[in-house]
Amino acid sequence: MPSPPLDPQQRAAGADPRGEYAAARASAAVFDVSDRVQVELTGGDRVKFLHNFCTNDVKSLAPGRGCEAFLTNGKGRILGHVLLFATEHTLWIDEIGTPEEVLLGHLDRYIITEDVQLHGRSGERGELFVSGEQSAERLGALHVDASKLALYEHAALAARESFVAIRRADLLGAPGFLVSIPRDRLVEIWQALTDAGCRPAGGAAYEALRIEAGTPLYGVDLTDDNIAQEAARTPLAISFTKGCYLGQEPIARLDALGHTNRELRGLKLADGPVPGRGAAVMAASEDVGRITSAAAGPLDDRPVALALLKARHARPGTELHVETAAGPVAASVFWPFDP
């Protein structure tokens, strides 16, 4: 979830969730997401090393490209949901949910003789997220042509001798770009983007958009209790041809079975109130899952939620109900990806 506004001039962010939600889809909105973790890997073995500890094919990434992946343990359980970006001399991990020190500690324990250096950059670098159909155009204010960036492609520009990275990541269901910058330039870049027409936006709009887009938050929607396929992002985040990596065997075994017992899905509720995390999802009298995240829908006030559901009740369009503080509320399953 986005962090608080950067300074008093930005307190308008979050004041109008409905307008911010609309801008983040149809035009452009800017969010402060400086609570995201940024880690840089250097050294000659960085690609081979990270390839061995995540679910996607790092070795295939040319400079300027990236991918989505999970860091997993030996049982195939999720330790982090990450975005990876390759440059000519470095790899970057961009994620939220796993504390930087935990992520660094997990990877560092496996460095023995490899030429790999891990650099935690979260304290020195912040991030803004620009989302909406006009977001690439608005990023022209930073003198970069973001319109040419496909999903997870990225570009860097030197401005005032500081490294600025523009990373395509459609986190909110519309064209979106993470802008990684030194923290002492956050206010300056925020101002440049708002001057260019990006609407300042806050946490309520971001959360509703995130849930509707099916973007999970690690530590909330997914934990180390979940095997990678339960996130229902397999085509985006898991390679079954890359060879061995930590957790590969149980993930491949589950793929061979052809199904999971439960998967993440979205729910659109017929009415309020917003259900609490852990609220039961029911099919008639059968308990079929639990709410992991929920938010008010800014346009119609109908709550949206993410839930881990039993697979046989996870098909989009399935009618269920959610136990809320006001009693059971009808809900319909949706998912923005092929289940």
Side-chain angles (χ1 to χ4, degrees):
M1 182 180 295
S3 53
L6 297 162
D7 70 3
Q9 294 180 348
Q10 295 155 26
R11 287 177 183 160
D16 177 18
R18 182 168 296 189
E20 295 163 14
Y21 173 99
R25 285 199 176 281
S27 54
V30 58
F31 302 86
D32 176 19
V33 293
S34 294
D35 46 358
R36 293 185 68 87
V37 169
Q38 299 182 69
V39 170
E40 182 184 19
L41 280 71
T42 57
D45 295 329
R46 66 189 182 279
V47 172
K48 178 181 177 181
F49 175 80
L50 193 56
H51 185 88
N52 291 336
F53 294 100
C54 71
T55 58
N56 219 334
D57 187 356
V58 182
K59 290 181 180 179
S60 70
L61 297 180
R65 297 187 181 274
C67 67
E68 179 179 339
F70 297 108
L71 300 178
T72 52
N73 63 19
K75 296 181 179 180
R77 304 288 172 174
I78 300 172
L79 300 178
H81 178 212
V82 300
L83 304 179
L84 308 178
F85 300 97
T87 74
E88 186 175 358
H89 301 294
T90 66
L91 278 171
W92 285 82
I93 299 174
D94 189 308
E95 69 94 45
I96 190 167
T98 306
E100 182 180 84
E101 62 273 16
V102 173
L103 190 154
L104 290 171
H106 168 69
L107 293 175
D108 184 66
R109 65 184 293 195
Y110 294 105
I111 299 175
I112 303 174
T113 59
E114 293 85 356
D115 177 19
V116 180
Q117 294 82 48
L118 306 174
H119 312 276
R121 301 301 192 198
S122 309
E124 62 196 67
R125 301 190 66 80
E127 278 189 298
L128 304 178
F129 185 66
V130 182
S131 176
E133 292 298 329
Q134 299 174 14
S135 55
E137 177 184 345
R138 299 292 186 264
L139 283 165
L142 304 184
H143 309 290
V144 61
D145 185 0
S147 66
K148 297 181 179 179
L149 297 179
L151 187 63
Y152 303 134
E153 289 186 343
H154 53 104
L157 59 146
R160 294 190 183 176
E161 299 181 351
S162 64
F163 171 62
V164 177
I166 312 295
R167 299 163 176 160
R168 174 75 183 267
D170 300 349
L171 304 178
L172 303 184
F177 301 87
L178 290 161
V179 184
S180 171
I181 46 184
R183 286 186 178 268
D184 62 5
R185 298 195 62 207
L186 278 168
V187 172
E188 172 197 343
I189 299 299
W190 174 283
Q191 191 64 56
L193 291 170
T194 55
D195 287 348
C198 292
R199 179 162 185 163
Y206 187 98
E207 189 70 352
L209 288 158
R210 176 187 75 80
I211 290 169
E212 288 182 344
T215 300
L217 180 60
Y218 186 74
V220 176
D221 302 300
L222 303 169
T223 70
D224 59 6
D225 186 49
N226 298 112
I227 197 164
Q229 287 100 319
E230 290 179 348
R233 300 181 73 84
T234 297
L236 292 170
I238 303 176
S239 168
F240 292 101
T241 60
K242 61 172 285 185
C244 295
Y245 60 91
L246 185 68
Q248 182 263 342
E249 288 188 11
I251 290 171
R253 188 162 54 245
L254 182 57
D255 181 62
L257 290 174
H259 67 89
T260 59
N261 291 327
R262 59 179 182 172
E263 287 191 8
L264 197 67
R265 288 291 188 273
L267 292 173
K268 183 73 172 180
L269 279 69
D271 202 353
V274 175
R277 187 180 182 215
V281 183
M282 309 293 290
S285 60
E286 180 185 0
D287 187 332
V288 300
R290 287 290 184 274
I291 297 292
T292 59
S293 291
L299 296 186
D300 59 10
D301 296 322
R302 292 174 56 196
V304 290
L306 292 177
L308 280 166
L309 300 177
K310 291 181 179 179
R312 66 180 182 275
H313 297 283
R315 184 177 296 278
T318 300
E319 296 297 326
L320 303 169
H321 69 266
V322 178
E323 297 292 345
T324 74
V329 174
S332 179
V333 177
F334 72 88
W335 200 236
F337 315 105
D338 291 334

